[in-house]
């Protein structure tokens, strides 16, 4: 059995590794259109690679995803956070959980994860080809023909792990196979606020804050980072991911309501100010 995996990212590598591990007799090949492998793994988590989330209850874990929770819940019963931690640790990569439950390699370096995946692929005999861009896939009886640069590549099975596309046209090669494509919209984005003076505070982090999009039910809590273009940080990214389609329908013009006190109430703030003023009363705000 000849299996082709399209996409040399985290999903493509893990799919190839799982396929080869469960079916060692199969021939498994990863095709990557660029000359870089696991590029997003390299930069994720600020270069530390947040591998998974320290939630070990499948139903609860599925609720952290803005869309597809029902489908993911089923997948988590096959392979979940516990399995992920065990998979890496059995290969010499120990993970740690931070205060916000993000899990990183103890080395705090994404290269640790990249090296682990590459070594496992080499150990299992998975072939990796770079610079292969698939323009069309044809299905003929029980075989697939992949067209890349005028050349044909034949496969018994294919796994698509090529990632997203900013435009629906980027999925035409899959639509031709009969798949239904839902129009993609941006998700996990920061807020661009060109006319807001708060940008002068760039570099300041407020944690935690409560955010809400005015006129909607969208809200989130967490750390907020003020940048030279507007706002970023986990609270903003979470809000944009959950509200991806609603914000697109609003043409990305909306008002953000921010409770800078986070989960503190008025009495707690007053008590804190009274205590702090005794020691910092002469400082400028």
């Amino acid at each position: 059995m000849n299996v082709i995996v399209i996409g040399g990212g985290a999903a493509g590598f893990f799919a190839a590794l799982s396929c080869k591990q469960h079916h060692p007799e199969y021939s498994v090949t990863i095709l990557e259109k660029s000359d870089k492998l696991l590029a997003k793994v390299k930069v994720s988590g600020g270069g530390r690679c947040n591998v998974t989330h320290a939630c070990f209850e499948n139903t609860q874990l599925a609720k952290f995803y803005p869309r597809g929770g029902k489908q993911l819940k089923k997948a988590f019963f096959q392979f979940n956070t516990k399995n992920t931690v065990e998979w890496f640790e059995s290969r010499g990569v120990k993970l740690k959980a931070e205060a916000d439950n993000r899990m990183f390699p103890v080395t705090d370096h994404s290269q640790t994860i990249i090296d682990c995946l590459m070594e496992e692929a080499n150990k299992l005999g998975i072939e990796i080809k770079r610079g292969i861009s698939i323009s069309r896939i044809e299905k003929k009886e029980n075989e697939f023909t992949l067209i890349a640069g005028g050349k044909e590549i034949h496969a018994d099975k294919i796994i698509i792990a090529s990632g997203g596309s900013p435009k629906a046209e980027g999925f035409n090669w899959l639509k031709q196979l009969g798949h239904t494509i839902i129009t993609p919209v941006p998700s996990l984005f920061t807020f661009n606020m060109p006319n807001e003076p708060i940008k002068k505070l760039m570099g300041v982090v407020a944690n935690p804050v409560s955010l809400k999009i005015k006129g909607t039910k969208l809200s989130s809590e967490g750390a907020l980072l003020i940048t030279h273009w507007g706002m970023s940080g986990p609270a903003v990214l979470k809000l944009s991911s959950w509200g991806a389609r609603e914000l697109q329908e609003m043409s990305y013009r909306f008002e953000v309501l921010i409770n800078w006190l986070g989960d503190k109430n008025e009495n707690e703030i007053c008590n804190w100010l009274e205590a702090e003023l005794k020691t910092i009363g002469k400082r400028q705000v």
Side-chain angles (χ1 to χ4, degrees):
M1 182 72 71
N2 180 27
V3 180
I4 297 290
V5 179
I6 302 175
F13 261 78
F14 215 79
L17 294 176
S18 179
C19 180
K20 189 68 174 177
Q21 183 179 350
H22 289 90
H23 304 281
E25 74 280 9
Y26 286 8
S27 170
V28 180
T29 304
I30 297 175
L31 303 182
E32 168 57 40
K33 69 177 180 180
S34 71
D35 61 349
K36 296 180 180 180
L37 298 169
L38 301 165
K40 289 185 179 179
V41 172
K42 181 76 173 176
V43 300
S44 69
R48 295 194 295 146
C49 186
N50 44 319
V51 178
T52 185
H53 190 77
C55 176
F56 297 90
E57 204 284 304
N58 295 333
T59 302
Q60 184 63 31
L61 183 62
K63 293 179 180 179
F64 286 110
Y65 291 81
R67 291 160 291 279
K70 183 179 179 181
Q71 291 79 5
L72 284 169
K73 183 179 176 182
K74 295 178 181 179
F76 289 149
F77 279 102
Q78 296 293 322
F79 197 93
N80 51 38
T81 303
K82 181 176 182 290
N83 301 128
T84 302
V85 173
E86 291 174 347
W87 193 92
F88 279 102
E89 290 195 351
S90 68
R91 289 158 178 80
V93 178
K94 188 173 178 59
L95 304 181
K96 62 175 180 177
E98 299 198 340
D100 59 2
N101 283 340
R102 289 184 300 167
M103 297 196 74
F104 295 89
V106 294
T107 60
D108 278 330
H109 206 301
S110 60
Q111 192 63 43
T112 303
I113 303 300
I114 293 173
D115 291 343
C116 177
L117 296 174
M118 291 294 294
E119 288 171 9
E120 190 70 10
N122 291 332
K123 185 192 302 181
L124 294 176
I126 295 171
E127 187 176 3
I128 301 172
K129 296 183 178 180
R130 312 184 198 195
I132 307 293
S133 180
I134 305 300
S135 58
R136 193 169 77 255
I137 300 175
E138 298 175 354
K139 189 175 188 310
K140 300 177 181 177
E141 296 181 358
N142 296 321
E143 184 183 71
F144 292 93
T145 300
L146 289 68
I147 311 300
K151 297 182 179 180
E152 294 186 354
I153 302 172
H154 300 281
D156 299 301
K157 302 287 183 181
I158 56 175
I159 299 173
I160 309 294
S162 55
S165 170
K167 296 181 179 180
E169 291 77 15
F171 296 110
N172 282 344
W173 60 297
L174 297 177
K175 193 174 182 179
Q176 293 169 357
L177 290 174
H179 290 290
T180 300
I181 306 299
I182 297 174
T183 303
V185 299
S187 182
L188 277 176
F189 51 83
T190 59
F191 293 168
N192 185 21
M193 309 163 75
N195 301 317
E196 294 296 332
I198 198 170
K199 294 186 297 180
K200 294 178 181 178
L201 296 175
M202 62 181 180
V204 172
V205 176
N207 185 25
V209 303
S210 298
L211 278 78
K212 179 174 172 51
I213 303 296
K214 188 176 181 180
T216 75
K217 294 182 179 180
L218 297 171
S219 64
S220 71
E221 295 182 354
L224 182 146
L225 168 66
I226 300 172
T227 69
H228 67 275
W229 67 84
M231 293 181 180
S232 183
V236 170
L237 295 172
K238 181 180 178 181
L239 195 60
S240 67
S241 65
W242 283 88
R245 296 205 173 274
E246 283 187 65
L247 297 181
Q248 191 268 342
E249 291 170 1
M250 298 166 72
S251 299
Y252 303 106
R253 295 186 177 276
F254 51 87
E255 291 185 40
V256 183
L257 305 178
I258 303 174
N259 177 1
W260 298 97
L261 307 184
D263 55 1
K264 297 181 179 64
N265 60 41
E266 186 176 342
N267 287 333
E268 288 177 310
I269 294 297
C270 288
N271 292 336
W272 176 81
L273 281 173
E274 287 180 4
E276 291 294 309
L277 284 172
K278 294 176 182 178
T279 56
I280 62 172
K282 294 183 178 180
R283 296 184 190 175
Q284 286 188 329
V285 175

